[in-house]
Amino acid sequence: MKRILAIILALMLVLTLGVVAFADEETEEAEEVILEYPMADDGVMITIPLNSTYVGVFSADGTYADDGSINYVDIEQVCYVLPDTYYIGDTILVHVAGTTEDSVRLFLVNSDGWSRASAITVINPGDFDLWLELVVADDEGKGVTETYQLNFKGSSYGVNIPDLTITTLEVYGGTTDDYIAAGGVNCDLTGHTIDEYVSNNDATCTEDGTKTGTCSVCGEEVTVTDEGTATGHSFTNYVSNNDATCTEDGTLTAECDNGCGETDTITDEGTATGHNYEKGVCTNCGASDPDYSAFPTTTVVVILVVVIIVVAAVVICVVVLGGKKKKK
């Protein structure tokens, strides 16, 4: 009997050890799960897949779309696990895109998720496509030394995120300059690369035209102002306005040769007609002739001569008659 009990106890011990060993093996396997982060399209940044496997300490139920994006509605916050652990002073370049109904705060958190490990970036309502340099820091003085999580949270304490869709989440361990030096080329960050622009031939007399080129990186067409291409007006066919007066030159007007509708008016030099006096009045403008007299000059002279003769005759008569009276 004792021998049977001993055998049973031995079997129970073996089974117990087996179960413990199996549990330890399961735990070790769980601890050894390694997240696989794919490279982004530029071959430099690392993509954080937007699914539950990569959600950190603070998780939230989201709706996954076929295009790889995720939508969260009425959540307090959600974390995503970064592909590496970063320490105080390290800089992480984050590319995040999507749309949000209300302002969302984005920042790094430490390993337990409770302490903020970077300054807060506020994402404004609407569509967003941001490249952010986040520096690991113990801004709140809570003893943060490292981080591997990125946190999305409501606009303020106690406010939930009403509607947030994340379409892109990529990271690079370094600064923007480091990213570019490593071969990162992203038009949103570094600008488009245009090898040649072609004029759109749309310059006007007063406005510069435009030119368009195709980005050799992303294929997007970019149109910019073609500086210095405004043509200026051209006036060559001037026509008299027939507005000369007796004393003022008239004008000439021309329409712009380029067909913009602008006109130019200049003085038609030497076209003043001068007065045309008849009987002391200009027949063109009605002005009075300052040299005109109602009596002809010859008539005036004749009258003056006659008056002089008459006066002289009267004087002679008076003298002669006066002399005769004295002789008597």
Side-chain angles (χ1 to χ4, degrees):
M1 186 65 180
K2 291 181 178 180
R3 183 176 297 176
I4 293 174
L5 289 173
I7 293 173
I8 292 173
L9 288 173
L11 290 173
M12 291 177 63
L13 179 60
V14 170
L15 289 173
T16 301
L17 292 174
V19 169
V20 171
F22 179 77
D24 288 343
E25 184 178 345
E26 286 291 314
T27 302
E28 288 177 3
E29 287 180 359
E31 291 176 350
E32 291 177 357
V33 171
I34 298 176
L35 300 178
E36 296 183 0
Y37 295 84
M39 296 300 295
D41 291 339
D42 64 0
V44 178
M45 298 199 82
I46 297 175
T47 298
I48 299 178
L50 299 170
N51 58 56
S52 59
T53 302
Y54 295 84
V55 173
V57 173
F58 294 111
S59 61
D61 292 331
T63 302
Y64 303 99
D66 293 338
D67 62 2
S69 65
I70 186 168
N71 174 249
Y72 295 105
V73 176
D74 194 27
I75 65 167
E76 181 179 354
Q77 60 185 315
V78 63
C79 286
Y80 278 93
V81 178
L82 302 174
D84 201 352
T85 298
Y86 304 95
Y87 299 91
I88 294 291
D90 288 346
T91 298
I92 307 166
L93 180 63
V94 176
H95 177 209
V96 58
T99 184
T100 177
E101 184 179 292
D102 193 9
S103 296
V104 174
R105 292 178 294 164
L106 181 148
F107 49 88
L108 299 172
V109 288
N110 69 341
S111 298
D112 60 20
W114 290 104
S115 299
R116 183 159 54 84
S118 75
I120 293 173
T121 296
V122 176
I123 301 176
N124 294 319
D127 296 335
F128 60 87
D129 190 343
L130 306 174
W131 291 77
L132 309 170
E133 283 190 355
L134 302 182
V135 180
V136 183
D138 186 20
D139 285 355
E140 298 176 305
K142 294 183 178 180
V144 172
T145 59
E146 47 78 25
T147 181
Y148 64 84
Q149 298 184 87
L150 183 66
N151 182 270
F152 294 85
K153 202 167 185 177
S155 58
S156 61
Y157 182 77
V159 176
N160 282 3
I161 298 172
D163 194 333
L164 168 67
T165 297
I166 306 172
T167 58
T168 301
L169 187 56
E170 301 170 339
V171 297
Y172 173 80
T175 65
T176 300
D177 289 341
D178 294 335
Y179 166 77
I180 295 173
V185 180
N186 186 288
C187 298
D188 292 332
L189 184 64
T190 61
H192 293 291
T193 301
I194 309 296
D195 298 323
E196 182 181 5
Y197 284 97
V198 178
S199 174
N200 294 314
N201 298 313
D202 54 357
T204 67
C205 297
T206 57
E207 299 289 337
D208 288 335
T210 59
K211 56 185 179 180
T212 298
T214 301
C215 178
S216 59
V217 175
C218 68
E220 181 178 340
E221 286 192 346
V222 179
T223 299
V224 298
T225 300
D226 195 1
E227 301 289 346
T229 56
T231 60
H233 296 298
S234 174
F235 300 105
T236 56
N237 186 26
Y238 284 92
V239 178
S240 174
N241 294 311
N242 298 313
D243 54 356
T245 67
C246 298
T247 57
E248 298 290 335
D249 288 336
T251 59
L252 299 167
T253 297
E255 288 191 2
C256 179
D257 300 330
N258 299 326
C260 71
E262 188 71 16
T263 60
D264 183 49
T265 299
I266 60 175
T267 300
D268 193 4
E269 301 288 346
T271 56
T273 60
H275 294 296
N276 179 36
Y277 294 118
E278 291 184 8
K279 297 181 180 180
V281 178
C282 179
T283 59
N284 296 325
C285 68
S288 299
D289 183 354
D291 300 324
Y292 177 75
S293 173
F295 297 99
T297 303
T298 304
T299 303
V300 173
V301 171
V302 171
I303 292 173
L304 288 176
V305 170
V306 171
V307 170
I308 292 172
I309 292 172
V310 171
V311 172
V314 171
V315 171
I316 293 171
C317 289
V318 171
V319 171
V320 171
L321 292 175
K324 290 180 177 180
K325 287 182 180 180
K326 287 182 181 181
K327 288 181 180 182
K328 289 180 179 181

